[in-house]
Amino acid sequence: MDHKDEKEVAMSGNHDVERHSDEKHDARRRSTIAGVLHGGDDKAIEGQMFSMHDIDPALDAKMRLVNQAINQIGWTNFHLKLFCLNGFGYMADSLILVIQSVIAGQAAAEFQPSFANGLTFASYAGMLVGALFWGGSADIIGRKIAFNCSLFISAIFAIVAAGSPNWIVLGLFVALAAFGAGGNLVLDTTVFLEYLPADKQWLVTSLAAWWGLAPLFPAAFAWPLFSDPRFACDTELPELCTRANNMGWRYIWIGNGGLILLMSIARITVVRLKETPKYLLGEGKDEAVVENLQGIAKRYNRPCDLTLEQLQACGTIISAHRKGLGETWIHIRGLFVTKKLALSTSLIWLSWTLIGLAYPLFYVFLPQYLASRGAETGAGSQAEIWRDYFISNTIGIFGPVLAGWMCTTRLGRRYTMVVGALVTMAFFFAYTAVRTHAANLGFTCAIYFTVNVYYGTLYAYTPEVLPSAHRATGNGIAIACNRVMGLVSAAVATSANTATAAPIYICAVLYIVMAIVAAIMPFEPYGKSAM
């Protein structure tokens, strides 16, 4: 054998070694993917909220790979920006509800309507339709469009509401502004959660602090405007109330509507949001999933081993490419595909229904009940009233912050809600003994704080335990249940007798039921990745 032949044999041997090495690498890769796909690898199924293997094994395997990639990338400045931008949506939802309640008295004095609670009905009706519309559409057309459009719609109608010539037109614009804002509690939690690594999912709970921050802005406007007779007429003399001497409530709409407009602009300029990777995965767009996550990793110099080959090796998901009029029903049915998931979905919707009734009734009945028993709970002047409102809402901001910390302890999400509901109930009973202004302010602050521990956790828990493909639909229906009860509370406030203590005790029982429901919920997200 000459030198040339020896060289060819050596080269052939090297190629065989390389080929065998590649084959062994491919075999290991196929084994790993098979383990994820069939649930045979214990490490693959560890730390997941639940398994979808029996329903859609390819989707289940791909979701685990995506969660691994998100956890590998970890927390970045992109997530910090999302925390703020999604927090803006929380603020908008709260702002619309608070603004209408803050200006209702002054607007009613000017327009003298026959139905004084009309704005409450309008706002909750708009929120109800918004939650269902934006929630359902986010699972069908994607999160991106709804995320970019909803706040802009709310801002425009909030500003236009300032020019309302009568009560009916004002109610219409309030409803339309509420429609735009009403889906943000669905979108914000969904978008933020679907980018978060598992060890940072507790931040979805703290996101509700933005909701508590929002009332400070209308209060900051109302405090000086409603204390100045040049901008707020005397509501006790409605016959002297005209547009010229009652412009304060209109300025509140303009100022806060402008704030929402700035927030909507920030959403499309600070972050050029792409569709979330988990939504793209449910649509069967594996290449876009990889491109999205690899892009974040590259921008922030983080590792990301996810490849298109890995996702494609898992197969084709069952739910991909199902389009048509029946898709909404597919998303609803997807929330009940197993007994455990069906129980979870039902208890979540029940929780939102209960808090949707108990929370407004507290504000509707308790002040009137206390007044009927001789309690002097009010402050002397408009300035003092809005000062107290500002203080109590400031205290309420820190409820979700505490809840976020509690969720990282052994209490987890469920028992954080249990504690929040029971402590709120205790303060609720104690509040019936209030007889002075100082006691009224103190207990109001305490209740704002503790109820936000429960509320903030429920906001986060809901999307965490819903499957990604149907998350926005399930979350939208949950919040819609809450809005329906808001309408019920407005109707009750219009016709009910507040001289009896019965509503007080009914609300207390509702908080006890909420605690029980939270305790028996089948999923605990602590330490697990959302699917």
Side-chain angles (χ1 to χ4, degrees):
M1 182 181 295
D2 60 21
H3 178 71
K4 181 178 180 181
D5 291 336
E6 290 176 355
K7 186 176 180 180
E8 288 177 352
V9 170
M11 291 178 63
S12 176
N14 288 339
H15 289 159
D16 288 340
V17 171
E18 291 175 359
R19 184 172 64 254
H20 289 313
S21 177
D22 291 341
E23 288 174 352
K24 288 172 69 176
H25 175 75
D26 289 342
R28 284 196 300 269
R29 178 184 57 77
R30 287 192 296 268
S31 176
T32 300
I33 293 172
V36 174
L37 186 61
H38 298 295
D41 185 351
D42 290 338
K43 292 183 179 179
I45 62 175
E46 184 181 356
Q48 299 293 147
M49 188 71 62
F50 49 79
S51 174
M52 298 288 288
H53 177 262
D54 293 335
I55 302 160
D56 194 337
L59 177 61
D60 186 75
K62 291 182 180 186
M63 190 65 72
R64 296 181 194 282
L65 291 172
V66 167
N67 277 333
Q68 290 170 14
I70 292 173
N71 291 336
Q72 185 182 26
I73 294 171
W75 176 264
T76 68
N77 283 339
F78 171 75
H79 297 93
L80 179 60
K81 292 175 183 177
L82 280 185
F83 181 78
C84 296
L85 295 175
N86 286 283
F88 291 165
Y90 265 74
M91 286 184 64
D93 178 278
S94 181
L95 271 174
I96 298 301
L97 289 174
V98 172
I99 293 170
Q100 68 83 19
S101 65
V102 165
I103 64 93
Q106 293 298 142
E110 180 178 333
F111 295 133
Q112 301 185 41
S114 58
F115 185 37
N117 289 323
L119 295 188
T120 302
F121 272 94
S123 59
Y124 274 105
M127 291 283 178
L128 169 62
V129 178
L132 291 173
F133 176 82
W134 296 112
S137 65
D139 276 338
I140 298 173
I141 64 175
R143 282 69 157 133
K144 179 180 176 181
I145 296 176
F147 182 83
N148 289 337
C149 293
S150 57
L151 274 191
F152 182 75
I153 293 172
S154 181
I156 294 302
F157 286 111
I159 294 171
V160 171
S164 300
N166 57 57
W167 188 252
I168 294 175
V169 173
L170 175 60
L172 173 63
F173 289 143
V174 167
L176 291 171
F179 166 77
N184 275 276
L185 294 184
V186 181
L187 298 169
D188 299 331
T189 52
T190 298
V191 170
F192 191 44
L193 177 65
E194 293 187 356
Y195 277 106
L196 275 180
D199 64 344
K200 294 295 188 294
Q201 286 179 190
W202 61 270
L203 281 167
V204 183
T205 300
S206 295
L207 196 66
W210 290 92
W211 199 88
L213 178 64
L216 301 187
F217 291 93
F221 276 83
W223 191 345
L225 288 173
F226 288 172
S227 302
D228 190 332
R230 293 176 300 171
F231 302 108
C233 63
D234 188 348
T235 56
E236 299 297 324
L237 300 171
E239 64 277 5
L240 301 179
C241 194
T242 65
R243 178 170 180 150
N245 65 4
N246 195 38
M247 287 293 292
W249 69 267
R250 298 177 188 272
Y251 293 148
I252 291 174
W253 273 117
I254 294 172
N256 288 276
L259 176 62
I260 298 174
L261 181 61
L262 290 176
M263 293 189 294
S264 71
I265 294 172
R267 277 192 165 186
I268 59 176
T269 56
V270 175
V271 170
R272 299 293 180 89
L273 185 73
K274 297 181 179 180
E275 290 294 357
T276 67
K278 293 183 179 180
Y279 172 78
L280 293 170
L281 199 64
E283 292 292 293
K285 299 178 180 179
D286 293 348
E287 187 174 354
V289 172
V290 175
E291 181 183 348
N292 190 337
L293 293 177
Q294 290 286 1
I296 295 173
K298 182 178 180 180
R299 182 172 183 180
Y300 295 99
N301 195 27
R302 298 297 176 85
C304 181
D305 297 332
L306 183 68
T307 65
L308 178 60
E309 182 185 35
Q310 287 177 319
L311 292 178
Q312 291 179 338
C314 295
T316 302
I317 66 175
I318 296 172
S319 56
H321 310 303
R322 289 185 175 181
K323 296 294 181 183
L325 296 177
E327 188 172 357
T328 298
W329 174 244
I330 290 173
H331 287 300
I332 294 174
R333 193 171 59 192
L335 300 167
F336 296 88
V337 289
T338 67
K339 290 183 179 179
K340 193 173 183 179
L341 186 57
L343 174 62
S344 176
T345 300
S346 301
L347 291 177
I348 287 170
W349 290 353
L350 175 60
S351 297
W352 279 99
T353 302
L354 293 171
I355 190 65
L357 182 60
Y359 189 80
L361 283 181
F362 164 74
Y363 299 103
V364 168
F365 279 106
L366 203 51
Q368 298 175 47
Y369 170 78
L370 295 175
S372 71
R373 278 152 176 73
E376 297 180 1
T377 60
S381 66
Q382 285 288 323
E384 290 175 322
I385 290 172
W386 292 109
R387 178 203 64 195
D388 292 351
Y389 185 86
F390 193 91
I391 291 171
S392 59
N393 278 283
T394 301
I395 298 299
I397 294 172
F398 299 98
V401 176
L402 175 63
W405 174 79
M406 292 171 67
C407 287
T408 65
T409 69
R410 298 186 68 177
L411 285 171
R413 274 62 156 173
R414 293 182 300 174
Y415 287 100
T416 296
M417 287 191 283
V418 171
V419 171
L422 292 180
V423 175
T424 300
M425 181 269 297
F427 279 121
F428 194 88
F429 273 125
Y431 197 1
T432 60
V434 166
R435 291 295 180 271
T436 66
H437 170 236
N440 177 56
L441 178 60
F443 277 106
T444 298
C445 289
I447 290 175
Y448 268 62
F449 182 88
T450 57
V451 77
N452 280 350
V453 170
Y454 175 88
Y455 231 150
T457 310
L458 182 62
Y459 275 127
Y461 180 87
T462 301
E464 278 190 287
V465 299
L466 295 174
S468 176
H470 319 295
R471 179 170 287 136
T473 299
N475 203 0
I477 294 174
I479 294 174
C481 292
N482 182 275
R483 306 310 190 195
V484 168
M485 290 300 102
L487 291 171
V488 171
S489 69
V492 171
T494 302
S495 58
N497 178 13
T498 59
T500 174
I504 308 298
Y505 294 105
I506 290 173
C507 287
V509 170
L510 289 175
Y511 282 109
I512 295 173
V513 175
M514 282 185 272
I516 295 172
V517 170
I520 63 175
M521 285 178 173
F523 297 115
E524 172 51 60
Y526 175 68
K528 298 181 176 67
S529 294
M531 290 294 286

